[in-house]
Amino acid sequence: MASVTFNQEEITLIGKEIRVGDPAPDFTVLSNHLDEVTLDNYKGKVKLITTVPSIDTGVCEEETIRFNKEADTIPNVQILTISMDLPFAQSRWCAANDIKKLDTLSDHRDASFGENYGMLVEELRLLARAIFVVDANNTITYVEYVNEITNHPNYEKALEAAKNA
């Protein structure tokens, strides 16, 4: 498993580490309207999936706003931001920040995404920060586990991977 820290303290990630070439594991998360969402909701699309500890914190906020702005530069790619935040909080945050070009999804109920993608932080029941690009055939084509959860991901590499998927 990737070595990940939170504020320079080692943390434990639950689940199997995902690698390039793996089939994308399915998951069940909730939309901001409390609808169940699975990988099949995005069938045939390239997906750029970001995981953040909480959308309402500095780095997570900047990351989500950045990917929302970049959405126009990667047509035919669906951007998903998944956190353990409640759908109500995500909806309110998206409205306050004019987020309309990506889907914010909540893993709070079952931690399905977190466990299936190896992102669930055991000590905090939050998701670690990572980016996954999944092609239209649901194969993982890019993975970045951010070593220190409070750091930003590599935006340029993720966007390039999504363009090339």
Side-chain angles (χ1 to χ4, degrees), residues 72-87:
D72 290 336
T73 70
I74 49 174
N76 304 315
V77 174
Q78 179 63 54
I79 302 174
L80 316 174
T81 297
I82 303 176
S83 72
M84 296 295 269
D85 295 305
L86 293 173

Side-chain angles (χ1 to χ4, degrees), residues 68-142:
N68 186 65
K69 287 180 183 174
E70 296 283 359
D72 290 336
T73 70
I74 49 174
N76 304 315
V77 174
Q78 179 63 54
I79 302 174
L80 316 174
T81 297
I82 303 176
S83 72
M84 296 295 269
D85 295 305
L86 293 173
F88 313 110
Q90 290 179 340
S91 183
R92 187 173 46 253
W93 184 88
C94 286
N97 289 281
D98 198 33
I99 303 297
K100 296 178 180 169
K101 298 177 185 173
L102 57 80
D103 290 350
T104 55
L105 301 166
S106 176
D107 200 22
H108 89 280
R109 186 178 67 185
D110 301 323
S112 169
F113 187 92
E115 289 183 9
N116 293 349
Y117 282 72
M119 298 308 306
L120 184 61
V121 177
E122 182 176 45
E123 296 84 350
L124 303 170
R125 193 170 162 70
L126 295 174
L127 299 181
R129 187 178 315 281
I131 298 179
F132 303 92
V133 175
V134 180
D135 71 13
N137 298 312
N138 287 339
T139 300
I140 304 290
T141 62
Y142 176 84

